[in-house]
């Protein structure tokens, strides 16, 4: 019975003892191991360099809900990922121990309790130095992630934020903690590096011109989606690397940075977005920057089709893991 | 009970008395006001600068029907639009009074009666100088729209036509008025400016080489989708502005100008189309040209998924409204 | 332009002045009036006998969210309803003034505030004696509905509850107000008639045998789905009428009382449910009982297909309106 | 290359020379022969007893269009049909020559021309005595079918009409020929037997009580869907056989007679319908009655899922073919 | 971090040490534990009474493939199952240790090797007396299951087979081992009890009258779907219990026994099937019979919608687990 | 009855006797001819220059199956193709006789037999010099296609392979013939020109760095998807033409070369792919090269939406037919 999914026998293991994926030449990919990219669970290894953690929470959304099913969907969409990344010439599951920690249990009925649970749990999880890669969940979770990062790294963190939206709004219906407000709260709380934070992929209508003024004051510069159309990817990568250099970087990827064609399964879609090729290409250029953690949020499976969105999100995670591996 | 959707209390109103959208910070976006972009109905304001009007008619289609449900779908897909357009630095709902006039009741069983109803109604609607923004419906409606425009403006109108197809064919099964023939009829009737009309986004197979010869004779020049691939958006915008300058312009956007990835919900899809980003970028470049009316047609919701097509169409409408606002 | 949707000209009006639906022989059904069954808005009539009100709230759900889009979906699915109900020989839109009040704006980020808004608004709305017919939204809203009913009618109300689930559980993650707990709270608060309340359609696994004991103590008797299989509809109708006779009845229909084949678009589906025919047949048998209000909840459109669920919900509303009409 | 689909080599042929289906034990079912149930085309046999003919016409619909794609969809959904019907102990493809005549080309832009084409073509096709089995298309086509039947059989025909709706309405927007009016026109034209015609499956709201009076005067009696719930299938079969005995019968099956759960892919769905089991069971009881032709209409594929509706329609056709075979 | 999914801390555990589901009052149901009904993996308990095992194999299918994704889909659809079954008054996860053994790795490119892997693995798994509950996969797997059952129980086994199809055909394209032939092979190999085996739910066309004769000779009697329509569930249950009494019973549930409305996500759907209510009701009546193992097969997720089919399959599994519990 | 689909009367025929498509101005496009682009069947013409042949085989897939339904789906998605290709100024159906040969019957249960059937049939089909255009099926079929090409042309063939994946892997679960291995087998068998073969569109993770070394040794050079992002289409076309010049070329298009946004309906999707516009543009640049045959594989309809993938595949076929026509 060692074919059954929990058997460590199926994993590819390096000489150095790193436990990788279940071997696809022996165990078909549709065979359930349940984990991201068929990687080991945390109880199947001794220690982790990167913790993949799902946070199935979507009570902070203002429009289409459903991102609570995001972690399960991204995992299901990640089964085709293979161990070697030729675009970066790295093997992200062989040179660092990546584990799937499963999902965090957070209260859907109390946003503040949820934020507190995330902050506490992620902080605890990072105390041994492992990097978090979060599968959301809505964007509310970026706030407790940044609280944890701030504590773990002892300094404000540069935020690289891929999104159609600024997410630096103030309140909705009086609520300060929602998926549209995490970076305003984070800036107010001193969690982010005001000189080095950056949005990429902004597009679509805003509430007013003041949104942009506020956003700038809160520490962000902006690369718009239109800049890809006009300037091309190479120029954007240069601007991005210049802005982020010189300290720790947290990467937050709202999947709605992609065009609805590339990511229908999300909560607040905006036409005119990035292609998945542009996004993956841009992410690879993070190699060499000091990435300390990341999240992929706002995947809402009931609006997805044939895992288009889930696969894009899984590839985003894969490139981020490759960046972490390249930096080791 | 003033939270319920008809209450004007929820609208954002300018000092000048322009009634804008229902305020999303007080009334959640999924709360039904039913109108495009949650704008006021015509009975909720005193006068209008722009009339949004649905024309749920699809009896002119030759392949997949369903565009009769297009107006409702575009409205449902427009709820995330916000009041400020940073790409053009305009507030399209604040500097002009935009209203949703609802849908025109047109006879699905008699194409000629339908055309007559549209012509008469749109002409009447424009007599006070307000611009029409039409939510189709199939492309047949462009003919009565141009009849009305011709009458209202007293001269032939330049047509800027975004489409995969020429729509200058002659007849199908003997029928002169269909979604494939409006611009031939319009040209024959002297409605369009033969020196300034333009197709953008043409691609895919034709019936014969004569189609191109006829089309040219009928007054159109052509920018192909492939020109975006080869020449880039900037060059296209220049050609477009040169062609359209010097008089009134009617903009007709068949959503199938987009690639099926960006607009699956349409009746005669062709591979190899524009991205929604290219289309929106091109539309913004109309600022300064004398746009007098516009339509967005061929949205067929039963083939859409997760409002991909509806959202693209809503954004097309938003950019067109912004162009109108920028020109005031 | 009086064809456009707000025009009262399109409505069928009785001699008695009751304003009915937009006339489908003159205005095609897919033409947008936006309202339930193409009925008038409240600002288009003088007074109402029945208020249809959407409550787009789903923060109380424990599994699949999305019922916040329920009211819009049920309205879109109601366009085929016609004015005469032959099964009951009543014309529900001609003998009573039914209006669509639109949606209530409720805060998605604060359950208790939402409950309070609903209670206050529905109470205010009922003060002139009109009956509420609510389009949910998740089942949390049954609690404020019963608070309002209790106040308006000055006595505990019999609850007729169609559902796969008891919804008399105590708490989830410590939260007292969720979609699984409204009837326990209502019973504790003295809102319901402990001798006359009834669940119909219960099936599927429970947490423990105590659930049944608690439920009984809280005032409910139970007709299981299996009773339809074993005893037939006629017998169930007799039991139902016997239990409910003798006072005001509030009808709460969770659409998951239907089998997932008949209602895929819901949040916590259970196999083995009612057919839509059984449900509609049962509802008609309420004629003669003192129905004072009703809700239809847990329609989650992103899981629906081709409006199967929305149409079932619209027909449920239609039968309930017919019961109200029959009782006048 | 005789495996390719046109090869007669793949067909099962009886001793009597009847050419049946392509043999599923040698040619996989998903292999394209393109025809209904993988039966021969008319050019592959000498003569036909039953002509299957598609009529892809849907310009008569008042709500969701798309039935123009019905014939292709029903064919695609018919590939699992096998040659022996155990419920009736007949082999419908062995004791009569059934052929697929393909689709009739009818003008979508002119309803009266379309009706004329159908009438002429079906009359011509029946002159050698073969029975027509029509795959629609919308219900408008029942009128020219009955005109042809009347001519071919020299007498008024009893109509057995399965539908949620009466289809004896008068006009929509002034149009006399639509999918809601064929049986009124047919009755007015003297095409149907006023003593022996019958609707089965009627349910849902009507326009007024007069609809029922008119319908009765036009020659129909009614078995409601609710009668299945209350009386059971056996009783209904008896009533049906009694009503239809004594002369030629034309069977017209609007797929919306089924509940939306069993037939989501249709144009005017009504909750509370028949199950496919009830419908098939009822159809089998036609054996022995003088069935002279039949249609299956209103299958609208863009609203179907996983061929639920298409498979039901294909089985309806199969049972009708079996009835024809049983009667030989 | 003990909220993450592998933590045993989340499980409900009885005094007797049986480890049940993750507690839904503390860990939201959409939180990933990945296992069937959120039950423990085999490495989280000491021993098992029932092994749930996925067999993701679909190379034996003759029409729509995809059942290789069946086990993952049934698990995803099982998250709402709760611990107490009121219809049988048993707690299936408390009185026996049920574990999810994950999926078996079987070769998709070699049917005979796959059959051998299944036989060997299931036999090994049953040697300590635990019962298997298999999540398929296509129906080919019933053959190696019966080989294993025969060996483990030392006698031929009665087969209770729910299916639209007989599955006692001989070969397709010369292949003896496919999803249409397992019970013929099993009968030929002496694995099944020829006096006590039974099909339930048979319907639709066959290849010829000989299919029935062969089937009877191979040891089966038949209850048709139509018997439910004509005789009712009670009568069927009596016939079933009479046929199966007196020895070990293996239950094989092809999900296509359900109507396509109730199970669109399957490979060879036939109209006119059972409702999920009928199937679950029938399964519960197995309590008291000597059930030794079971499978649920032919769930093909890419054809499912909103987990209609997956939920039905999960409930089938739940009732079978309850039968096993009731028999202890 | 000559409107019915088999009638040659409907076809557009050239003076030279070439039989083209059914005329869309007389026979609506949704009218069933069943063939690719409504072209004639092989029994409707005297001889063929190009044979379109479906190979509905998918037993070689390692992940999502379903490409067995690919040929039917591509045909259904090809109905909008018109006779003149303006991008290349050719009429592909007028200057060469293109026929639809239907589908090959291949055994789904035995991969080696299937490969042998394909090889034999395609070789026989090509003996009169006609070119094959294959509609798959999975990529396994490229091996027998290359065997046939090698025999028919008497020399190794350059392979132009569009794909996200190399398909030069060795074995899965010990199986040498699968959809991941055809080009390794073809290279080992001496079927391909080692100096002129080329992959275009490679992206995503591999198993290891050795994959690239093996691939190069087996005769391929690589143009990555990222090269489109960085270098642009013009540069890629030059590299492609340089590599392929000087001898016969076989073109194999795995539809997963497209981004999942442009081709959701496929078996092993990878984010970051080509747009359909890039692919069609690149294919047109093959004019002048000696293309001897082609396939379009891995279209898996149950994962497609609104024919996005099918239409892309149909356009790929159209451009390839145009290349063949341009070369005559």
């Amino acid at each position: 019975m060692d074919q059954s999914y929990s058997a460590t026998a199926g994993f590819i293991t390096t000489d150095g003892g790193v436990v990788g994926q279940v071997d696809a030449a022996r165990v078909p990919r549709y065979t359930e191991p349940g984990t991201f990219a068929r990687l080991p669970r945390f109880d199947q290894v001794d220690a982790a360099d990167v913790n993949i953690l799902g946070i199935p929470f979507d009570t902070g959304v203002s429009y289409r809900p459903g991102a609570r099913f995001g972690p399960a969907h991204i995992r299901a969409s990640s089964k085709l990922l293979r161990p070697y990344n030729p675009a970066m010439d790295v093997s992200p599951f062989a040179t660092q121990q990546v584990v799937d920690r499963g999902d965090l249990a957070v209260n859907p009925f109390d946003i503040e309790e949820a934020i507190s649970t995330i902050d506490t749990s992620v902080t605890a999880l990072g105390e041994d130095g492992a990097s978090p890669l979060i599968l959301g969940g809505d964007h509310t979770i970026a706030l407790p992630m940044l609280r944890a990062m701030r504590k773990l790294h002892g300094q404000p963190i540069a935020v690289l934020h891929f999104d159609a939206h600024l997410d630096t709004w103030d309140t909705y219906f009086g609520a300060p903690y929602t998926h549209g407000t995490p970076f305003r709260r984070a800036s107010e709380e001193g969690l982010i590096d005001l000189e080095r934070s950056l949005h990429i992929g902004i597009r679509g209508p805003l509430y007013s011109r003041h949104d942009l003024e506020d956003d700038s004051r809160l520490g962000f510069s902006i690369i718009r989606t239109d800049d890809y159309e006009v300037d091309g990817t190479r120029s954007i990568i240069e601007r991005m690397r210049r802005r982020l250099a010189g300290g720790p970087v947290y990467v937050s990827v709202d999947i709605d940075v992609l065009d609805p064609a590339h990511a229908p399964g999300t909560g607040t879609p905006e036409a005119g977005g990035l292609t998945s090729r542009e996004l993956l290409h841009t992410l690879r250029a993070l190699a060499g920057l000091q990435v300390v953690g990341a999240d992929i949020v706002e995947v809402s499976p009931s609006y997805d089709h044939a895992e288009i969105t889930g696969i894009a999100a899984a590839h985003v995670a894969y490139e981020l893991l490759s960046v972490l591996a390249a930096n080791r």
Side-chain angles (χ1 to χ4, degrees), chain A:
Chain A
M1 272 314 289
D2 38 74
Q3 295 96 331
S4 70
Y5 80 79
S6 305
T8 49
F11 291 109
I12 300 167
T13 304
T14 65
D15 290 347
V18 172
V19 182
Q21 301 175 283
V22 172
D23 183 356
R26 293 163 51 204
V27 181
R29 294 178 177 290
Y30 42 82
T31 305
E32 277 281 274
T35 55
F36 182 84
R38 303 164 31 107
L39 288 162
R41 299 189 312 271
F42 77 97
D43 61 306
Q44 293 174 313
V45 298
D46 294 330
D49 297 308
V50 184
N51 287 304
I52 296 173
L53 178 70
I55 303 185
F57 174 82
D58 64 4
T59 310
V61 304
S62 59
Y63 200 58
R64 296 174 179 171
R68 61 177 66 181
F69 288 96
H73 191 63
I74 299 172
R75 285 191 187 94
S77 304
S78 71
K79 294 183 179 173
L80 286 168
L81 294 173
R82 283 170 292 267
Y84 174 66
N85 187 341
M88 299 182 64
D89 192 25
V90 295
S91 294
F93 309 140
T95 58
Q96 57 189 0
Q97 181 64 59
V98 186
V99 300
D100 188 336
R101 301 287 293 207
D103 284 353
L104 200 66
V106 286
N107 189 340
F109 302 126
D110 186 324
I111 296 178
E112 301 205 17
E113 181 188 319
I115 286 174
S116 167
T117 302
I118 297 166
D119 174 1
T120 307
S121 300
V122 173
T123 302
L125 199 61
E127 274 166 2
D128 63 356
S131 307
L133 180 65
I134 303 301
L135 311 176
D138 77 49
H139 225 148
T140 309
I141 68 176
L143 176 62
M145 286 306 299
L146 288 168
R147 287 185 183 164
M149 290 295 105
R150 174 73 180 76
K151 276 180 280 185
L152 289 166
H153 294 277
Q155 59 177 293
I157 310 289
V159 172
L160 172 58
H161 172 221
F162 290 89
D163 202 323
H165 312 91
L166 300 170
D167 290 4
T168 50
W169 284 299
D170 193 359
T171 59
Y172 286 96
F173 326 111
Y177 302 117
T178 75
H179 77 151
T181 62
F183 299 114
R184 180 181 286 257
R185 291 294 95 74
S187 182
E188 291 168 351
E189 296 182 15
L191 309 178
I192 72 176
D193 185 332
L194 304 184
E195 302 304 316
R196 292 171 46 245
S197 291
L198 174 64
H199 306 292
I200 296 184
I202 298 303
R203 65 184 185 279
L206 302 175
Y207 292 100
S208 85
R209 202 174 296 162
H210 300 305
D211 296 351
L212 295 170
E213 298 161 5
D214 285 6
D215 189 73
S216 174
R217 187 175 44 73
L218 291 161
F220 285 89
S221 69
I222 296 179
I223 292 174
R224 296 173 189 286
T225 297
D226 253 12
D227 297 339
Y228 279 85
E229 192 68 27
V230 174
D231 300 333
T233 308
R234 193 178 316 228
S235 139
I236 281 160
I237 286 172
E238 282 169 25
R239 288 167 61 190
M240 173 182 81
R241 291 184 59 89
R242 234 182 354 251
R243 176 80 179 172
L244 298 174
V249 178
Y250 181 80
V251 184
S252 184
V253 183
D254 185 323
I255 205 68
D256 74 19
V257 74
L258 297 177
D259 192 272
H262 293 267
T266 194
T268 50
E270 304 273 346
L274 296 192
T275 65
S276 63
R277 191 169 78 197
E278 289 168 337
L279 177 58
L280 299 178
H281 196 79
T282 305
L283 287 170
R284 280 181 212 122
L286 294 174
L289 294 170
Q290 191 190 335
V291 175
V292 296
D295 62 57
I296 302 124
V297 297
E298 300 284 351
V299 172
S300 183
S302 73
Y303 295 92
D304 201 7
H305 172 73
E307 298 182 339
I308 295 177
T309 315
I311 289 168
H315 278 257
V316 165
Y318 186 80
E319 297 298 346
L320 289 167
L321 291 167
S322 296
V323 166
L324 291 172
N327 287 357
R328 263 170 231 281

